[in-house]
């Protein structure tokens, strides 16, 4: 009997990651972890930097609005560019801008008393970088996984990203209490630098060349056609224009104020945000094994709990109660997030990922600058408690309206494509038989596209 070839007897090295988690997916996940460690603490730090400089709740809202206004102005351009230029280069350039703006913000806070206009300007620069980064990053992530692994890949990515957010929020709140917000902003700048370095190593050699389009406006029109011809897409984007606005106002403006006045300072609010992050991890773990057939129906039902944090701040609940509702809302929104990304991956052509993502982001954040800017005046006019109950009510009404869209209720997960396996031909000797490819279904749930 002849000895087996050396290659066959050599032990196989254990895999350190799943077969579907390639180089790009791994780098994107690692960079997202680094970024979220810094940015979640920085969001809290910027609010308390304004308050420590003598600003009011209205000033906190203006700085928050300065971050989101560039998203509205530049997101669509960023999406079109990301579908025309190499996406990884757009991401690295955006990270560089974020790094510089946050570093300058940190220096201002650490060396003196920053003026409101300075904080708004630097925050706006950071928001500009985000406007170009988000569509490119989402397009890159969507193209880095295959269809049959999309649900698990997106769940794992979001679990890693949100897990970093837990540490970032908790550490940020503790650091603000111990050494002040300036150092948290400095850590965020360093995180952007490291994340940009990781994203510079993304491999785009396998990316298909994109056919030249008819210009930036033509590309934007093509993306708009993709959105307006899909009722499930534009209706949920409209829903989130309301949901993101009121939830953002509650968390960016009212949350720090309630924490300062009734919870004992920044540390309890950082803890509550950390519990939201823990909830997102729980939701991601659930979505690693659960593949609901009706993607958007399940996801939309899970948006209702986003009303709970605003209601909890309105009461206000004690710290443990606020942490509980933040955990529940975090779990629910993660179920929505994975189902939403899976739907986008399933329904949108790869070459239009970034443009459609830009319209998604644009619609979702379009009302956020106005909501955060008006949060202070609304508190003065109606009282903080009434304003928070108003936020909770708008979340419920906007989400209920989406359920009347037939495609949201009917769109289902498509079955996975057949997987080829090798079966020896029965008529040939076993040692020399050629392989015959036989399709084997993956057993995914049967789905139909909207009619």
């Amino acid at each position: 009997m002849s000895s087996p070839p050396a290659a066959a007897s050599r032990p196989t090295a254990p895999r350190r990651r799943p077969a579907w988690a390639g180089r790009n997916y791994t780098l994107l996940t690692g960079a997202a972890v680094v970024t979220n460690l810094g940015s979640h603490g920085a969001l809290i730090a910027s609010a308390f930097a304004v308050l420590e400089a003598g600003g009011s709740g209205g000033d906190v809202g203006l700085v928050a609005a300065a971050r989101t206004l560039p998203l509205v102005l530049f997101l669509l351009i960023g999406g079109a560019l990301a579908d025309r230029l190499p996406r990884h280069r757009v991401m690295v350039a955006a990270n560089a801008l974020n790094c510089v703006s946050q570093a300058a913000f940190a220096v201002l806070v650490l060396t003196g008393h920053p003026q409101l206009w300075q904080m708004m300007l630097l925050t706006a620069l950071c928001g500009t970088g985000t406007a170009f980064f988000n569509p490119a990053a989402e397009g890159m992530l969507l193209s880095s996984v295959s269809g049959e692994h999309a649900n698990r890949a997106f769940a794992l990515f979001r679990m890693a990203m949100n897990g970093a957010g837990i540490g970032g929020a908790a550490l940020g709140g503790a650091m603000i209490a111990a050494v002040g917000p300036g150092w948290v902003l400095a850590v965020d700048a360093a995180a952007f630098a490291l994340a940009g370095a990781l994203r510079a190593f993304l491999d785009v050699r396998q990316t298909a060349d994109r056919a030249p389009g008819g210009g930036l406006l033509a590309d934007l029109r093509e993306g708009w056609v993709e959105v307006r011809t899909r009722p499930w897409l534009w209706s949920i984007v409209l829903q989130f224009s309301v949901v993101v606005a009121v939830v953002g106002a509650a968390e960016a403006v009212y949350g720090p104020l309630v924490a300062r006045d009734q919870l004992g300072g920044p540390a309890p609010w950082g803890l509550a945000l950390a519990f939201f992050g823990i909830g997102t991890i729980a939701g991601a773990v659930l979505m690693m094994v659960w593949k609901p057939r009706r993607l958007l129906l399940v996801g939309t039902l899970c948006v209702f709990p986003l009303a709970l944090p605003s209601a909890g701040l309105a009461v206000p609940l004690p710290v443990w109660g606020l942490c509980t509702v933040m955990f529940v809302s975090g779990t629910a929104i993660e179920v929505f997030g994975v189902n939403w990304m899976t739907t986008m991956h399933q329904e949108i052509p790869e070459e239009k990922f970034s443009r459609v993502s830009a319209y998604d982001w644009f619609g979702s954040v379009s009302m956020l600058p106005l909501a955060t800017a008006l949060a202070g005046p609304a508190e003065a006019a109606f009282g903080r408690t009434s304003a928070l109950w108003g936020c909770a009510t708008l979340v419920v009404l906007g989400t209920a309206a989406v359920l009347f869209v037939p495609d949201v209720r009917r769109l289902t997960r498509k079955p996975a494509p057949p997987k080829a396996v090798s079966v020896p031909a029965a008529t040939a000797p076993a040692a020399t038989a050629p392989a015959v490819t036989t399709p084997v279904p993956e057993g995914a749930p049967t789905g139909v596209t909207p009619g």
Side-chain angles (χ1 to χ4, degrees), residues 98-112:
N98 290 140
C99 174
V100 171
S101 61
Q102 290 296 83
F105 196 172
V107 170
L108 280 177
V109 174
L110 290 171
T111 59

Side-chain angles (χ1 to χ4, degrees), residues 150-151 154-155 158-159 162 236 240 276-306 327-343 413:
N151 196 87
F154 297 145
R158 292 174 66 93
M159 180 170 60
N162 292 319
I236 289 181
F240 269 79
F276 180 87
I278 295 173
T280 62
I281 289 183
V285 170
L286 173 63
M287 295 308 295
M288 289 282 288
V289 296
W290 183 34
K291 294 183 177 181
R293 182 170 177 267
R294 295 189 181 270
L295 292 162
L296 294 182
L297 177 60
V298 170
T300 299
L301 291 174
C302 288
V303 179
F304 283 107
L306 283 188
F327 174 85
V328 172
S329 62
T331 302
I333 197 58
E334 193 64 18
V335 174
F336 169 83
V338 173
N339 281 313
W340 180 250
M341 294 186 73
T342 303
T343 303
R413 186 186 303 273

Side-chain angles (χ1 to χ4, degrees), residues 231-247 296-307 333 336 340 360 363-367 391 394-405 408:
W232 62 266
L233 180 54
W234 59 257
S235 63
I236 289 181
V237 170
L238 284 177
Q239 170 203 8
F240 269 79
S241 69
V242 175
V243 172
V244 170
V246 296
V247 171
L296 294 182
L297 177 60
V298 170
T300 299
L301 291 174
C302 288
V303 179
F304 283 107
L306 283 188
I333 197 58
F336 169 83
W340 180 250
D360 176 19
S364 298
V365 304
S366 59
M367 294 177 61
C391 292
L394 287 172
V395 171
V396 173
L397 293 178
T399 304
V402 171
L403 293 176
F404 287 95
V405 178
V408 171

Side-chain angles (χ1 to χ4, degrees), residues 190-364:
F192 276 119
L194 178 56
L198 289 174
R199 289 166 177 138
F201 288 99
L202 290 169
D203 185 2
V204 295
R205 290 175 297 176
Q206 303 301 320
T207 302
D209 293 333
R210 301 184 180 96
L216 190 63
L217 291 178
D219 286 349
L220 290 175
R221 282 195 297 269
E222 285 186 13
W224 172 243
V225 169
E226 294 292 329
V227 175
R228 70 175 177 81
T229 56
R230 292 176 165 84
W232 62 266
L233 180 54
W234 59 257
S235 63
I236 289 181
V237 170
L238 284 177
Q239 170 203 8
F240 269 79
S241 69
V242 175
V243 172
V244 170
V246 296
V247 171
E251 292 192 356
V253 180
Y254 299 136
L257 294 174
V258 172
R260 182 192 65 183
D261 297 340
Q262 296 172 280
L263 299 180
W269 182 234
L271 181 63
L273 292 176
F275 267 82
F276 180 87
I278 295 173
T280 62
I281 289 183
V285 170
L286 173 63
M287 295 308 295
M288 289 282 288
V289 296
W290 183 34
K291 294 183 177 181
R293 182 170 177 267
R294 295 189 181 270
L295 292 162
L296 294 182
L297 177 60
V298 170
T300 299
L301 291 174
C302 288
V303 179
F304 283 107
L306 283 188
L308 294 176
S310 295
L313 289 169
V315 173
L317 294 175
V319 175
W320 67 265
L322 187 59
C323 289
T324 300
V325 298
M326 293 291 277
F327 174 85
V328 172
S329 62
T331 302
I333 197 58
E334 193 64 18
V335 174
F336 169 83
V338 173
N339 281 313
W340 180 250
M341 294 186 73
T342 303
T343 303
M344 293 277 281
H345 184 271
Q346 171 179 292
E347 300 292 329
I348 305 300
E350 188 277 334
E351 68 275 8
K352 298 177 182 178
F353 277 161
S354 291
R355 276 170 286 175
V356 173
S357 174
Y359 278 104
D360 176 19
W361 279 96
F362 175 80
S364 298

Side-chain angles (χ1 to χ4, degrees), residues 184-197:
V184 179
L185 294 167
V187 169
D188 189 35
F192 276 119
L194 178 56

